[in-house]
Amino acid sequence: MSIRAFIAFIVLLVVSLALLGYGIKLGLPAKESLDISAMPWGILVPGYVFFASIAVGASIIDSIFTIYGYKGSSNTLREDIKYSTYFSLISLVPAWTLILLDLINPEHGIWLIRGFHDVSRIAWNLVLYTLLAITLLVELVYLIRRTDIDTIKNIKKAELAIAIAVLVSAIALDSNLSQAFGSLVSVPAWYGSHLVAFFLASAVLLGAAGQWLFITIVRGFKGTLRERKDYYSSLAGKMYLTILPIFWLFMFWDIVAAWYHKPTWNYYKELLWGAHAPIFWGIEVVIGLIVPVIASIVALEKRSITAAIVASIALLIAGFTSKYDLLILGQLARLHSEGFMTLIGSGFLAAHNVMHYHPATSEVLILAGAFIEWPMLLLAGILALPLGADEKPRHLYIFK
Amino acid sequence: MARMAMVIDLNKCVGCYACTIACIRENIARQKKNGVEMPDHIFQYARTRPIDFPLEGSVRVLGFPSNTPFFIQCQQCENPPCVAACPTGASFKTKDGVVLVDRNKCIGCRACMIACPYGVRTMYLGRLSSPPPNPYGLVPRYPDKCTFCYHRKNSPEGWVPACVEACAFGARIFGDLDDPNSEVSRIIRNGNAVRLREDLGTKPKFFYILPNK
Amino acid sequence: MTKYSRREFLKLSAAAASAAALAELVPLYKKKPKKILRLEQLRKTSSNITVKKTMCYICGQKCPLKVYVDGYRIVKIVHNTIPGYDDYFATCGRPQTLFEMRFVPERIRKPLIRVGKRGEGKFREITWEEALALLVKKLKEYRPDEIIVFAHKGTEAGLFKEFMKSIVGTPNVTEHCDTCHTGLDISSWFVFGKLMGPGAFRPDYEHAKLVVFMGRNPVEGIVATPWTKSFSVGKEDGLEIIVFDVRETRLTSLAHRYYIIPPGTDLAIGLAIIHVILRDKLYNSEYLVKYTNAPMLIYTDTIEPVGLRDHPSWKGKKDYLVYDEGTGKITWKTTATEPALMWEGEYNGRPVKTVLSLLWDQVKQYTPQWAEGITGVPASEIEYVAKRLANQAPRAFIDTGYKAARYYNEAMFFRVKHIINALIGAIGAKGGIAWPYKPKIPSPFKILGIKGHGPQGEPLYKYWLDQGVVKLVQPKCFSHLALKSLLEGKPKKYKMVIIFNENVVAHSQGSSKAIEALKNAEFVVVIDVAHNETTPWADLVLPITMPFEQDSITLYTPSKVDIGEIGILEKVIDPPPGIDAKPGWWIIAEIGKRIDPANASKYEALEDPRSIWIKQAQLLGINPKELLDKGIVILRSKPIYHPLKGKYLPSVTGEIELISVKALQEFKDYIGKSSLMNPLPVWIPPRWMMTKQKLSANEFIAVDTMDQMTAANMWIRFSRLVVSSLNWRKFDGVLIHKDRARKLGIKDGDLVRIQGPGGEIIAKARLTSTVHPLVILGAHATNPGRRIKLTIESINGGTYEVKLFSWGGGYGTNTNMLASFDTVSLEEGGRANQCDVVVSVEKLKT
């Protein structure tokens, strides 16, 4: 495994750095979007929320399993615990990459600390990210240092405490993140506390799918999947069939509530049968609901790993689309409502066609870079860290 | 303490755009010996922009209770959502009640732009080789908006924003709401002035007097 | 929290804030220390500000301004007020563009001589010495009556016209008003006995209770900012507004009621309003008796005044016979106690009736129902407007406004407006149509004692009058006839054309023929600030300064002077580097010295305008120091509120004539005809209605409008600020009703080909529901027709190119490019019908 994996890692590293580097060189937002007054936030923001949600969701699932002492059939989940913790931690990195590169003046970043603004949700995001990252890191170090294969199967009090800390920070982070949007009274499609529940449900769904996929792939490569095939396929099926209805229930009620609130309804109108409808029905509904539900049932009934993989990938694709719809289309709907287009310049908008968002080249490059950075970092962890249940720390001092 | 405010009397306003162009000159354009450097589509970056009616499909803008053209610019809210959204305190309210952007602190996250329910903040991404016409003038890649011409605050001629000064029709009135004798205070007491989207609770210090009909 | 950031903020910028006094003025921009330094320097230089008192000449109104200048920077531009009299003045947004507008790339940089073919746009830069020598040579080569001069009012054009007329001696000096307000001038001839343009009246908005706007928009046009100011003062006081227009505008949004009507049909509304006023006897009887010829008796069989005699007290005016209801006898008006307004009877065995009765006979047919059929405005609404006008009178009027060269029937329409205002007693009333006080400023030539022999030969319009082609002419404005003479070589071949600050090609209806006319001349000189549609056809092009770049040669009154304002037009700033432009008066002086060497010292004196100001001021009884200090002074405190302008009017009777006595003498043959010369008000359809019964799906009526940022054909339309303002408002193209556009497959922003009988333009379609479906409408002169590019050989070697609309734009409209040359009212001296053109529209295939 290792030579080929190492080459793969190098390739991913080079490609990722190249994409990010070129994206940065082009500048953000790229020159082709002359003005961003109408659409201040581009595709990197949903990208960032996507990865943050995965990290948060994976942390929540792990923590809940730990807190409730759920070890999986034949301790399967305990065997995977280091992988899953690492996955949660490392998924934060592309999120950071994206949000950092989305800043126009990152050189003033020190003011995030020096000028910490206590009512700003974005300011708190930084704090909560740090908190989550630290708790996850502590958890990972703790798990790696517990070298004994049998003891790892037991949950000690210290681990329980760490898991609770992770859970609390993850929930705090995600709800705060949701309110970075939800507290903006200027965007009707976002405004409100419902976004907290919406974000959490979506994060758990995405975290579950991402984490499950990662572990399945790792086990696939290691050749330890076959013996646990039944368990994994049913785990995926159960998780998805539990969380999907919750997520869609929130969606349903939000649509119903929007019916009585015209500005928000503008957003849903656009989403449900506007120009954007093919994406909503095609991706969010078909790929994000119908396909995973069927695939999950198949995975559960037939113990089919393939079906579970299909469901997971579908959920990730739909999850990203759902973030994109909420954050980009939400801004567009803001333009359509309340005559915003005139405020921002009707003639200008007509001239530059910014009523339809097209990501700039640099945005696409950076997003792609982040998407490649993610498996690259995951692979790096597998190569460098003793994440397997039976692996022991070799090199790094802190793990000894 | 002061609460600086502005009123546009739409009876007096004839829509000549003197204010918009004076604003561009004062805050945006760089005058040079042999030309003027400023963004293309310059009206987009004027800090007070005309909103022309009638709009298609009789859209009401920001709950504006009239179909008369008006001007949109920073509403200088007493409860500014842009300031609340800013993570670094770059957007802040001065003790005169003017919302400003401290560019040294701005990380460029654009949260303020999207937080503004009035859509007044712009960001120019092109290049301008010269410094802004005043210390509070437009600088590319930073959010930009009306400052009530804050650089004129200590002017010996008194604090008169460029748009107010340029209006020969007396349609723009600027003053301190905390001073009961100021003209703005008097107008607000009369109760004829309206604000945009009162329902949001942003408490703008920018008022409009609707046309007599 | 605010405290915290404030402290941090101050700490950070301590280096930048050079003084404690500047503590609040901390730069919010200091990425690099070098730039902070520059900002500090910038602030320091601001102590060298000088204040220039001048007047804005962009649209020709000359509104008083104070411009603060610091070196090459325009620091600010403010209205120059006279405390207490600000209701009579204002300045609009146009002069604010000065800081940018003066750099338009279209500016003429040096004198140019044509090197390519006419129209090819190839020129070579020459020195002023060469240019003047050539110009003088040509002036000597041609006889004065072989020269035609087109000169706009702009800057020194007034003096230039005087120079050409009295010193050079050409009788053919004209300007463009036959494409602007000649219709109004002629309507005034019919009612007041004299050709009177927009500046002759003062709509007294600020005292009015109701104004009806038809064919006039004081808010969006603003080619008369003093009136706009008065309008806004009135609006604040609750002025009621009723508007008839072909589209929704800012004015309609301010209006209490508005009606979108087919173009050129407002005459029908006007006639119906007269109908209602006469039918219901809503007129002001006392006023009509006292100040109008309403009681004048007319023979019903011959439509002639029954009796005229010299007025006993008004010199040169006529007294006339009326029926005295007090005595029951027919007697002279000056002796009658109670002249009857509506009366029919017999005199000398012939049927007679009063003018008012005759008017009633005439308008009896024009019922509101009839007008509804033409305009679509419900009859009940027309009744309402008429009654409301009468009800609010005399503080109510129909604005007789400005441009009257849009539709064929315009002069009749304006006459009807005058008649309505007279019927309700609004003319001369406070809150009605008042009379301005206009001082006469002695000409610089008079002051310097420069005299010539005067015009030599007959002006060319005399020929067309003699031919019977033209019935009435505004002797100052015959640009169309001048082009016609050039084209047809009648009455003679004209050899030289001098165009001073005019844009003959763009402003003449039937631009392609205007070009041909210029081609017929042997030598064409254009003297202007910037290149335009006309310069490619010139042989010699001379650059003059923008008005802000020179001291004017004379004192000025604002065009819409109401209370005798006199002001100076002071130089604000030098022309930009590389622009070798000269003031108009410098050119006049240099030509003068060369053609009239005997008076060279007098022409020399012309190059010191300020000494001329002082002499003019003294002659006007103004303290020159006060004038120079203030920039503007006033000679009166209010306009003239008197129906007959204080004394009596230029008409035959000295009164407001509801039916013109002179017209009854000169144009009697037209009675009963649907003609502009009919002495009686009559329905005349607009030209498009006469030529087309029904427009097909792709046919529209091409209409252009004034815009608050553009000013006719001037260079300001090239400014980036103006281009951006039009783009911002989606007025950078032509407005088309979206339902009609959809049927033609035209989407917003598409380029369309507009084909008219005289030519075509490519324009950008802007879809809207705010225009009448019949019209396709854009801002005036925002389309150059063909894309013009000039190639110029620099005097320093090398060539450069000049493109019109180089900062963008140029896809609006210019109906003159679309109309054929004969789309004018020739009987009115070739008065244009600029918006009366049927065009076809198709989407441009890309």
Side-chain angles (χ1 to χ4, degrees), chain C residues 350-367:
Chain C
R350 289 167 66 186
V352 298
K353 61 172 66 166
T354 62
V355 157
L356 202 64
S357 298
L358 190 65
L359 194 62
W360 169 236
D361 287 352
Q362 182 68 15
V363 299
K364 218 179 264 175
Q365 53 183 316
Y366 302 129
T367 61

Side-chain angles (χ1 to χ4, degrees), chain C residues 510-572:
Chain C
S511 296
S512 55
K513 287 281 184 186
I515 288 170
E516 272 181 47
L518 293 181
K519 279 182 179 169
N520 281 353
E522 288 171 13
F523 196 68
V524 177
V525 185
V526 168
I527 303 171
D528 212 322
V529 171
H531 287 284
N532 56 35
E533 289 85 339
T534 308
T535 47
W537 309 98
D539 300 293
L540 179 67
V541 181
L542 302 180
I544 48 171
T545 47
M546 273 192 189
F548 298 99
E549 296 166 351
Q550 62 177 82
D551 282 336
S552 69
I553 192 64
T554 173
L555 299 180
Y556 279 117
T557 61
S559 281
K560 301 301 163 282
V561 52
D562 295 316
I563 49 173
E565 305 95 305
I566 303 274
I568 57 170
L569 204 154
E570 190 179 22
K571 175 173 173 176
V572 170

Side-chain angles (χ1 to χ4, degrees), chain C residues 588-613:
Chain C
I588 297 168
E590 293 299 314
I591 302 173
K593 283 183 217 168
R594 283 167 173 81
I595 61 167
D596 187 10
N599 277 327
S601 61
K602 289 180 182 168
Y603 285 107
E604 198 72 51
L606 202 57
E607 292 181 25
D608 178 17
R610 286 181 185 237
S611 63
I612 295 172
W613 297 352

Side-chain angles (χ1 to χ4, degrees), chain C residues 248-260:
Chain C
E248 290 175 29
T249 62
R250 194 181 181 96
L251 182 64
T252 60
S253 79
L254 290 172
H256 295 69
R257 291 178 185 223
Y258 69 89
Y259 311 93
I260 303 301

Side-chain angles (χ1 to χ4, degrees), chain B residues 31-52:
Chain B
Q31 295 186 44
K32 298 177 170 187
K33 239 193 188 94
N34 52 3
V36 174
E37 192 185 21
M38 60 187 185
D40 285 343
H41 297 283
I42 180 66
F43 260 52
Q44 167 81 1
Y45 302 99
R47 290 173 174 180
T48 180
R49 299 193 285 271
I51 303 301
D52 278 20

Side-chain angles (χ1 to χ4, degrees), chain A residues 35 37, chain B residues 18-32 35-49 72-74 103 120-152 162-163, chain C residues 29 39 42 73-75 96 99-100 720-721 724:
Chain A
D35 185 86
S37 313
Chain B
C19 49
T20 303
I21 295 167
C23 174
I24 292 170
R25 182 208 64 231
E26 187 75 19
N27 293 304
I28 319 289
R30 278 82 162 146
Q31 295 186 44
K32 298 177 170 187
V36 174
E37 192 185 21
M38 60 187 185
D40 285 343
H41 297 283
I42 180 66
F43 260 52
Q44 167 81 1
Y45 302 99
R47 290 173 174 180
T48 180
R49 299 193 285 271
I72 189 80
Q73 65 196 83
C74 177
R103 298 196 188 96
V120 299
R121 288 192 176 219
T122 60
M123 183 181 279
Y124 178 63
L125 295 168
R127 279 174 188 280
L128 294 172
S129 65
S130 343
N134 71 62
Y136 298 81
L138 175 137
V139 174
R141 303 175 75 80
Y142 288 94
D144 193 76
K145 63 167 203 71
C146 165
T147 62
F148 276 165
C149 284
Y150 205 71
H151 59 288
R152 290 187 174 198
C163 55
Chain C
Y29 171 68
L39 284 174
L42 194 142
R73 267 186 344 117
I74 304 291
V75 177
Q96 296 290 341
F99 75 93
E100 188 269 332
R720 266 186 287 176
L721 291 162
S724 176

